[in-house]
Amino acid sequence: MAFTLPELPYAHDALAPYMSKETLEFHHDKHHQAYVTNGNNLLKGTEFEDKSVEEVVVGSFGKNAALFNNAGQHYNHIHFWKWMKPNGGGKPPASIAKAIDESFGSYDKFTEAFIQAGTTQFGSGWAWLTVKDGKLEVSKTANGENPLVHGAQPILGVDVWEHSYYIDFRNRRPDYLKAFVENLINWEHVEEMHAAAVK
Ligand code: FE2
């Protein structure tokens, strides 16, 4: 089915000072819109026209790079907006905290691994918290790729393309990642995706 740009679940200035109005105007209104527009043009006449975005992502991987890049980025950004909220971040709710402790040892060890994945992703990409074989894992991917194509379900992701942080943090990607973890994560959306992934 055709891709559509979702509304931001908060005002453009609601995540400041960690993510500014200007960043969200470019990132959501221009960059995400471009993935939607280009994705829809590339979907036309393909076998994927009536498929869900997840099916397009998995089905086009390794077969149609241009469609995959735009569909992957559409999927990634749909969730990225929901993975943030004003006054977010910090310690997760009990159900996620338990799963994090079981997989990483502690919340601090998880945040260290997640920030490290985002910092060391060379060039554009994403850092992820995923469920694979019932267990939580941290990973990273390049460009528009995401864990769905590697048999894992993303439950949290952070965009480390420069368009996500350069206006607010310039080249200080680690500071952006720290702000994301401490002030922006919407754990309720993570919890929702975790519950769906492990049931
Ligand atoms: Fe982005």
Side-chain angles (χ1 to χ4, degrees):
M1 63 199 81
F3 300 157
T4 52
L5 182 69
E7 292 280 320
L8 278 183
Y10 31 74
H12 284 80
D13 61 1
L15 303 183
Y18 311 106
M19 192 171 282
S20 65
K21 180 168 184 266
E22 189 183 1
T23 290
L24 283 169
E25 282 170 351
F26 276 93
H27 196 178
H28 173 269
D29 303 4
K30 311 273 188 215
H31 290 282
H32 191 174
Q33 180 63 63
Y35 299 131
V36 168
T37 304
N38 295 337
N40 283 333
N41 287 335
L42 291 159
L43 267 177
K44 278 182 201 142
T46 71
E47 63 191 294
F48 303 112
E49 257 182 322
D50 58 348
K51 302 281 198 241
S52 68
V53 62
E54 289 86 352
E55 289 171 322
V56 180
V57 169
V58 174
S60 63
F61 182 58
K63 292 182 190 152
N64 182 337
L67 176 60
F68 172 75
N69 288 336
N70 285 282
Q73 283 292 72
H74 179 45
Y75 174 88
N76 295 346
H77 286 84
I78 288 171
H79 291 289
F80 185 55
W81 312 131
K82 294 189 202 167
W83 279 322
M84 298 185 288
K85 69 171 188 181
N87 304 311
K91 298 252 164 114
S95 64
I96 289 286
K98 186 168 175 281
I100 283 176
D101 286 348
E102 282 167 7
S103 299
F104 302 101
S106 68
Y107 168 77
D108 289 345
K109 288 216 170 83
F110 154 69
T111 58
E112 197 182 305
F114 187 71
I115 289 173
Q116 174 76 359
T119 303
T120 56
Q121 170 52 42
F122 185 75
S124 297
W126 294 75
W128 303 100
L129 175 63
T130 68
V131 176
K132 191 168 185 185
D133 303 326
K135 200 168 175 286
L136 295 187
E137 285 181 4
V138 163
S139 61
K140 59 187 176 181
T141 58
N143 301 319
E145 199 172 302
N146 72 46
L148 287 177
V149 301
H150 303 297
Q153 174 60 53
I155 61 170
L156 173 66
V158 61
D159 190 340
V160 298
W161 286 56
E162 286 187 346
H163 66 213
S164 196
Y165 63 88
Y166 215 84
I167 291 171
D168 303 315
F169 292 90
R170 296 301 173 191
N171 61 334
R172 293 178 289 115
R173 190 192 283 184
D175 290 351
Y176 155 69
L177 289 165
K178 190 166 177 279
F180 179 86
V181 166
E182 291 179 359
N183 306 101
L184 293 177
I185 295 176
N186 176 9
W187 284 112
E188 286 73 35
H189 190 54
V190 181
E191 203 172 26
E192 210 174 279
M193 292 192 86
H194 179 249
V198 296
K199 80 175 174 197

